[in-house]
Structures are given as structure tokens and as C-alpha cells.
Amino acid sequence: MTAVLLGAMAMGEGTAVAETRGDCPVLEQLGDRVEGTVSPGACAFIAKQTEFGAMRSDTPETRDARVRLYGSIFAADGTLAESGSAPPVVGRTNIANSLRTLLGAFPTFRFTPVKIVVNGDTVFYEAANEMTIHGQVVRYPAVYRVVLRGGEVAQGRRYHDRTEWFRPIETGALRELFAGVADDCPRPGPSFTGPGLTAPVTDPVCHAAYLGRLSGAMTDVRLAPDQTAAGAHTRFQEYRGTVQAKGRTIDYGMIVGTEPGRVRYYFDTLPLSYDDQEMAELFTKLLTGAARPAP
């Protein structure tokens, strides 16, 4: 695992790809946050995804409008999956209904684009997410990786650390896969960020310890490169497959984002730290105790 991720870092250095902006109004808003050749289909997805991320959900009317927009992003037979363990949601209607449930519990959910890289029909949409959970604002990064068909999402995957959702309800008891790994990191080197880190770390020794901690949380790792996209400065590489963790085999994936002098990891530590029953109990706490925002 460590060797695979270090190899992905090396591939990302010095990437340069010709880019075409074309006739896509949303690119004027996003500027250099978008890299790669943007087709009309990719433009339509980026525009809708960006609009969806900024919409409000605090009334039934705004929530319905947001769900309708989100549904229109997907093909009728499209799929949407988390980065770890959960089976994909299949079909536009089911995807829209799953969002309705999420927004019903967490109407303050929103995100803003950070970096978007396009490779033909594949788009990596990196975002800064936030929502209010038990009265506490929770912020966490994510990458939405989609494969388009006719401008609609045929296959969507979300890469983020769901462990962050439980920080307000498991105070002092949350299992932290990377606890203490960045406590003593004074040495200089390329910057890296990832789940469990509150700030970028530049220490190569700590970087190796971080990847070692990740490798130690799983066995029988069967991950292979999947989708990729590279722009003038940024490269995203997806890995998908299965791993064994907490006594069971799970579908799993991660994304490595690289740019000169910086590496970003996106994966879900939740199924690496909790088994299926424990995860179900956590989600019951989360959804039954969800706090509504003030009017």
C-alpha cells in the first residue's frame, strides 16, 4: 500500500496537459480552480454541481428544489457510492431520495469547489464541505469523482472521511486511526494532507508513519488504479477494489491528489475503525440526534 501511494505521488509531479476552456460560462466564475479540457457535458455537470453545493435546504421548498437539481445531474440508471463499505445507490430516483433523507437531517449541508480536473468524461470535483451536526459546524474535504454519459452522471463516487461526522456526538470516544501521528513532525519536505490531519504536514518521517498506520488498518489489499485526470498543475488518481478490515472484506477506494510539492489523500477511515454493527449504531445516533438550524 505504501509503495503504491508513493508511486502515485511521483507520477503527479511535473504533470502538464494542454487545456481548452471553450464556451462554458461557469469557468469564468471558477477560474484556475478548473483544469483540463472541458467538454459541454463536463461543463453542464460542473455548473449543476457548483449550484447544488451553494443552495439552501432550510425549508421544504428549498429542499425540494435542491433535490430536483441533484437528481437532474444523474442518468436514469446512474449509480452513486461512498468511498468505503456501503453498496452503491442505483437509479436517479433512489439517489434523489437518499439526498432528501440527508438534507432532512442536515439541511445546512453545503460545499464550495476547491479544484476540478477533467479528463474526457471523467471529472474529479474537489470540494470543501460543511454542515451543522448537534449544533456544531463540521468542515471536511471531499472529492466527487464522476464518469459522464451524454452529460449525465453514469457513475458517481464520493471520497471523504465519514468519521468527521461523528466528532460532535462521540466526544472523547471517537476512534482516531491517525491519533498522534503528526505530534512531532519538525522536518521539512513535501506537504501532505489527509483524513485525521488538521493541517498539512511536511515531515517525511511522519508521512511514512501516516501511510504505515493506514496499511496496518487493512489486510488482503486488492486495490488497482481506476479513473485518473491530470491538468496543468494537478493530478487525481483513483484506486478501487477490496480490503479486509475489522474482520470483513469491504469494497474500498481512495484518491491521491498531487501537485508540485503537495500530496492530498481522500479515503474513509470509518470502516477501517468500526465494524458494520458499530457503524450502524453510530449512524443511529447521528440521524436520531440531528440538530435543526435556527430559523
Side-chain angles (χ1 to χ4, degrees), residues 71-92:
S72 74
I73 293 175
F74 288 85
D77 60 348
T79 63
L80 177 63
E82 297 287 352
S83 60
S85 74
V89 182
V90 180
R92 177 190 294 142

Side-chain angles (χ1 to χ4, degrees), residues 21-286:
R21 309 302 283 184
D23 183 17
C24 184
V26 73
L27 298 186
E28 296 182 9
Q29 169 190 342
L30 298 176
D32 61 6
R33 284 178 285 180
V34 181
E35 299 181 20
T37 300
V38 180
S39 67
C43 175
F45 165 73
I46 293 169
K48 286 185 176 182
Q49 181 81 346
T50 302
E51 181 182 358
F52 165 76
M55 291 177 77
R56 297 176 62 89
S57 315
D58 50 357
T59 68
E61 293 76 20
T62 57
R63 192 153 54 247
D64 286 345
R66 199 174 187 192
V67 170
R68 285 195 300 273
L69 175 62
Y70 194 66
S72 74
I73 293 175
F74 288 85
D77 60 348
T79 63
L80 177 63
E82 297 287 352
S83 60
S85 74
V89 182
V90 180
R92 177 190 294 142
T93 299
N94 291 330
I95 291 170
N97 286 337
S98 70
L99 175 70
R100 190 183 303 278
T101 299
L102 173 69
L103 294 181
F106 306 105
T108 58
F109 170 73
R110 72 190 78 177
F111 59 78
T112 56
V114 174
K115 179 65 68 174
I116 302 163
V117 184
V118 183
N119 176 23
D121 289 328
T122 299
V123 182
F124 288 77
Y125 190 110
E126 183 183 22
N129 290 12
E130 73 171 49
M131 59 185 179
T132 301
I133 300 175
H134 285 214
Q136 179 178 324
V137 177
V138 175
R139 297 182 175 90
Y140 59 97
V143 172
Y144 303 96
R145 196 282 286 147
V146 303
V147 175
L148 303 170
R149 184 179 67 226
E152 298 177 323
V153 174
Q155 183 196 72
R157 291 174 180 157
R158 296 187 290 219
Y159 288 84
H160 56 95
D161 188 12
R162 291 179 294 170
T163 300
E164 293 297 325
W165 295 351
F166 303 98
R167 201 167 296 284
I169 65 173
E170 290 292 292
T171 305
L174 191 66
R175 295 176 193 167
E176 302 277 7
L177 181 59
F178 301 106
V181 77
D183 285 353
D184 181 20
C185 300
R187 292 157 288 264
S191 170
F192 80 96
T193 61
L197 300 176
T198 57
V201 177
T202 61
D203 192 325
V205 174
C206 291
H207 197 164
Y210 182 88
L211 296 181
R213 193 83 62 88
L214 174 62
S215 296
M218 56 181 77
T219 60
D220 194 21
V221 177
R222 300 176 183 269
L223 300 181
D226 197 335
Q227 300 295 321
T228 187
H233 306 287
T234 307
R235 175 189 175 95
F236 286 112
Q237 175 66 62
E238 177 188 35
Y239 296 89
R240 290 294 300 184
T242 62
V243 303
Q244 285 189 1
K246 303 299 287 185
R248 84 286 203 210
T249 298
I250 57 175
D251 292 329
Y252 201 69
M254 61 179 61
I255 286 176
V256 182
T258 52
E259 60 187 68
R262 185 183 179 203
V263 182
R264 307 189 296 287
Y265 298 113
Y266 291 90
F267 54 87
D268 189 6
T269 67
L270 190 66
L272 305 181
S273 301
Y274 295 86
D275 63 28
D276 291 341
Q277 180 178 343
E278 291 171 326
M279 288 171 57
E281 291 170 355
L282 283 175
F283 276 104
T284 297
K285 288 183 184 180
L286 183 72

